[in-house]
Amino acid sequence: MRKARKRRQVFLFHDHPRSGIDVPEDDWNYVINLVTDLFKFYKAQGCNIEVTWWGEIFIKLPSFETPFEISINHKPAHIKIDQVIKKIKDSGLARIANLDLATSLSLSVRPIRKRTKWHSFAIDTKVAKPVSLTAKVNEHIQPKISSYYKHDDELDKLRKITKEDLIAVIRLGGVLLSRNSMLHYLAAELNRCIYVSKLTISDSTITIGVGRLYEESVHHFGKKELKFFHKYVPEHIFLTEDNEINY
Amino acid sequence: MSEHNGLVCLGVNELYHKRNMQHSHHVLPTLCLFEFTDEMQYLITEKQALLVEHDIAEVVIRTTLAKWYFQLTNRYHYEVLTYLHIQADSISFSGKMKPYKSPHFTTPIILIDSIKKTGSVIKALPLDKLTIPLALGLIKEIQILSTENYDLSDLYWELDDVASNIRKLDEKVVNKLSFECEEALSQISTESNSLNSRQEVLEVQIGNLLIRLVKNIFGITRGDWISYVSPATAEMTQLRFDNCSFYEGVLTIYGLGLTKSGILGKREQSIRIDLVP
């Protein structure tokens, strides 16, 4: 998870950022301890825990087919943020009573199925080990995941490195390596595309298929870009032809 | 301007709106949240004093008092470098996220009045302070500058008269003017241009001095609510101080008027104070 943390910078440029842990430096140690405890608890029950390249956490309880994912970050608690956004669009300014900016750390869970919603629990950082949190999560998630009976391929989809991920990596590269890199121009070009049908990266080229007519273009990159890609994209991406690859 | 350092030219982006920047829509926060605490208010007042002292239009400081909410991820993002922009009567926040190297988003500018918890205190103008030496000094300085400004203005318009007549003459007749005459014409136009820019410099200087005068003498800054009773007519005017000007020895303070119920009205009002007896 520590390694994945650096890669998560990619999600700033992602159209649908992936779940996981996004907390400031100050909270990191606390959160890691919390997650370790959580993992121990689930391991003891014989659960299968998976941490992906991007730092997503998937947990599968032994008796249920549907796994769930976990996110930890700071979010506004106890208020309807949609209403605030709407008000701001109307008047440009909104006052929110009883919103505490200091205590906003929360843990969210979602069953890995299509169109499922996240549910959040506030984390009380004053308590060293919030045991009750695990219980709360369990209480919420068990009935949820036991209600599904049909197979769903959402997990397989999440496990893949997708086109969207790669586009986000290219955008990040465009900003990090700035105007000196071809990624800068490629990112701009990608932003103008309405639909990208194919995107593969080899160790010296990026191939992009655009639109329905499947026009492919090949873009060559140098050592600087390769070094960058090695940081953000798993090794095997370069080896295979297909861009959607399993872990 | 004997030495040339080379001319620097910069591109222009629309400020505070959609900038022509790559994939900006991915990295824009949805909301900026902050609490207008006493601590923050004190900080702002403290920095606003600097504005007047050094003729600055805006002070920018780094702050940790604001949080940025992103709708896409439904969370606050950390590692946002936040800057607080403080102007005479308003504030705004701008921010920068890794890996960007300069601020790339900003909030609209908001009036401090509109976020204050308690309504503003209405201050009376202490007219008696106009006789203290500091006030007299400042008034003298303003007077000198404004006299220079009037003189320049007169000269500018007189010159303009001459120049436009010559130009008219040039257009009406087919005969070519002599070289000397052409030369004189272009000199007149150069002269009137330089007069114009000198006037602009003077106007800015006078403006700054006026702001300093009302701050030091009356203790008011832009955005303050003030009340004034005219010594001549005993009529009372209440307004929010937005701007001021000086003309022929009279200081005029403009601003939106306050209604009888003590809230900000819609009509612009002004207060005229004789600085020079």
Side-chain angles (χ1 to χ4, degrees):
Chain A
M1 262 189 297
R2 258 174 234 282
K3 277 187 197 160
R5 192 173 180 218
K6 284 195 177 138
R7 290 177 204 130
R8 296 185 66 81
Q9 203 178 16
V10 166
F11 296 134
L12 191 55
F13 299 95
H14 205 291
D15 291 333
H16 300 99
R18 289 168 178 268
S19 67
I21 300 175
D22 298 286
V23 293
E25 203 61 52
D26 307 347
D27 295 331
W28 179 253
N29 282 332
Y30 176 85
V31 168
I32 279 298
N33 284 337
L34 184 87
V35 172
T36 315
D37 285 352
L38 206 69
F39 280 10
K40 273 183 196 156
F41 171 81
Y42 283 114
K43 276 229 174 89
Q45 296 187 18
C47 297
N48 182 20
I49 301 171
E50 189 180 330
V51 178
T52 67
W53 170 264
W54 301 116
E56 298 155 285
I57 303 164
F58 302 150
I59 298 176
K60 192 173 171 297
L61 294 169
S63 40
F64 304 103
E65 199 179 307
T66 308
F68 62 96
E69 54 180 326
I70 290 181
S71 255
I72 297 178
N73 50 41
H74 283 274
K75 58 179 62 182
H78 317 301
I79 55 161
K80 292 199 169 108
I81 204 85
D82 294 345
Q83 286 174 11
V84 177
I85 294 170
K86 195 164 171 277
K87 199 177 165 205
I88 295 232
K89 271 183 190 149
D90 294 343
S91 63
L93 184 87
R95 282 157 204 280
I96 312 168
N98 63 52
L99 174 65
D100 193 353
L101 286 178
T103 60
S104 53
L105 193 65
S106 51
L107 181 144
S108 318
V109 288
R110 177 185 88 106
I112 302 181
R113 304 277 300 188
K114 273 191 200 87
R115 287 187 288 278
T116 45
K117 277 192 182 138
W118 286 94
H119 189 87
S120 301
F121 303 91
I123 301 174
D124 188 358
T125 42
K126 287 185 200 91
V127 187
K129 284 186 180 175
V131 194
S132 57
L133 189 68
T134 326
K136 266 196 232 161
V137 170
N138 251 351
E139 219 170 87
H140 169 80
I141 206 77
Q142 286 229 12
K144 281 264 153 86
I145 53 177
S146 60
S147 65
Y148 305 116
Y149 52 94
K150 257 191 188 162
H151 180 73
D152 185 286
D153 59 353
E154 187 77 357
L155 180 65
D156 298 330
K157 278 188 188 158
L158 281 179
R159 277 179 171 154
K160 283 171 185 165
I161 302 271
T162 62
K163 266 183 318 211
E164 280 189 330
D165 296 336
L166 293 182
I167 290 174
V169 171
I170 290 171
R171 284 171 180 160
L172 173 69
V175 176
L176 270 181
L177 305 176
S178 73
R179 285 172 197 278
N180 306 319
S181 165
M182 48 77 74
L183 290 180
H184 181 84
Y185 304 98
L186 188 61
E189 204 179 307
L190 278 173
N191 278 352
R192 282 193 291 274
C193 296
I194 296 163
Y195 178 66
V196 178
S197 52
K198 191 188 165 196
L199 206 166
T200 61
I201 300 179
S202 79
D203 41 5
S204 65
T205 55
I206 301 171
T207 311
I208 296 172
V210 179
R212 273 191 223 163
L213 293 170
Y214 215 66
E215 300 157 32
E216 277 193 9
S217 56
V218 180
H219 306 264
H220 293 267
F221 58 83
K223 275 185 192 156
K224 191 172 51 180
E225 284 85 3
L226 185 65
K227 208 177 138 202
F228 164 78
F229 278 134
H230 274 295
K231 259 193 218 161
Y232 289 96
V233 186
E235 202 76 3
H236 59 248
I237 272 283
F238 301 106
L239 305 174
T240 32
E241 276 294 294
D242 190 5
N243 68 307
E244 297 199 346
I245 305 150
N246 292 319
Y247 280 98
Chain B
M1 289 277 267
S2 53
E3 272 180 50
H4 272 279
N5 291 326
L7 190 69
V8 179
C9 182
L10 298 174
V12 180
N13 293 328
E14 198 173 352
L15 193 60
Y16 306 150
H17 207 64
K18 240 189 197 163
R19 285 202 207 180
N20 184 19
M21 201 158 50
Q22 278 195 42
H23 33 259
S24 53
H25 60 285
H26 294 282
V27 280
L28 277 190
T30 319
L31 304 174
C32 172
L33 297 116
F34 69 96
E35 205 175 331
F36 195 60
T37 53
D38 293 343
E39 176 199 2
M40 189 165 170
Q41 190 159 2
Y42 176 75
L43 183 83
I44 291 171
T45 324
E46 191 186 62
K47 301 297 177 219
Q48 276 174 339
L50 289 176
L51 295 177
V52 182
E53 206 176 307
H54 301 285
D55 300 336
I56 314 174
E58 179 178 284
V59 173
V60 184
I61 50 166
R62 261 191 69 182
T63 179
T64 50
L65 294 171
K67 277 200 179 186
W68 303 90
Y69 171 82
F70 286 65
Q71 194 174 20
L72 180 63
T73 47
N74 185 26
R75 66 180 177 92
Y76 302 123
H77 278 221
Y78 55 96
E79 285 178 350
V80 183
L81 226 69
T82 309
Y83 296 97
L84 171 61
H85 300 244
I86 301 167
Q87 286 117 12
D89 57 352
S90 52
I91 55 165
S92 64
F93 291 92
S94 69
K96 163 179 111 69
M97 289 188 81
K98 276 186 187 171
Y100 286 104
K101 290 174 185 76
S102 58
H104 54 105
F105 49 81
T106 174
T107 65
I109 296 170
I110 45 166
L111 288 174
I112 296 168
D113 259 352
S114 66
I115 49 171
K116 265 187 191 158
K117 264 173 282 178
T118 50
S120 298
V121 185
I122 301 178
K123 294 178 185 171
L125 294 184
L127 288 181
D128 51 324
K129 283 211 178 152
L130 279 173
T131 50
I132 64 169
L134 176 66
L136 293 176
L138 278 169
I139 293 169
K140 189 86 199 157
E141 212 174 322
I142 293 169
Q143 241 187 318
I144 291 169
L145 287 178
S146 80
T147 316
E148 191 187 341
N149 197 10
Y150 301 146
D151 292 350
L152 282 178
S153 175
D154 288 347
L155 186 57
Y156 175 82
W157 288 113
E158 292 304 323
L159 260 184
D160 192 66
D161 242 9
V162 178
S164 61
N165 273 329
I166 300 179
R167 240 172 268 134
K168 247 184 234 160
L169 176 88
D170 193 19
E171 279 162 20
K172 270 188 187 158
V173 294
V174 244
N175 310 39
K176 273 233 162 203
L177 284 167
S178 77
F179 176 73
E180 283 82 8
C181 199
E182 195 74 55
E183 180 94 317
L185 184 68
S186 81
Q187 266 173 8
I188 285 173
S189 115
T190 320
E191 180 76 17
S192 84
N193 281 346
S194 78
L195 282 181
N196 202 8
S197 52
R198 172 69 189 147
Q199 261 185 295
E200 277 168 22
V201 173
L202 280 174
E203 269 158 28
V204 172
Q205 277 180 352
I206 294 171
N208 285 339
L209 282 174
L210 283 173
I211 293 288
R212 209 179 291 182
L213 177 79
V214 291
K215 163 79 184 166
N216 288 335
I217 308 306
F218 299 143
I220 58 166
T221 48
R222 278 197 185 131
D224 281 352
W225 291 16
I226 52 177
S227 81
Y228 171 76
V229 181
S230 162
T233 59
E235 202 180 311
M236 188 167 83
T237 319
Q238 290 191 323
L239 56 80
R240 188 188 66 191
F241 172 32
D242 288 335
N243 214 343
C244 58
S245 70
F246 181 83
Y247 185 72
E248 289 185 344
V250 179
L251 168 75
T252 313
I253 297 174
Y254 305 94
L256 288 178
L258 305 179
T259 60
K260 272 181 190 149
S261 48
I263 55 162
L264 208 58
K266 282 180 184 153
R267 258 197 323 166
E268 180 138 312
Q269 302 251 18
S270 63
I271 297 171
R272 290 165 57 83
I273 301 167
D274 288 322
L275 289 189
V276 187

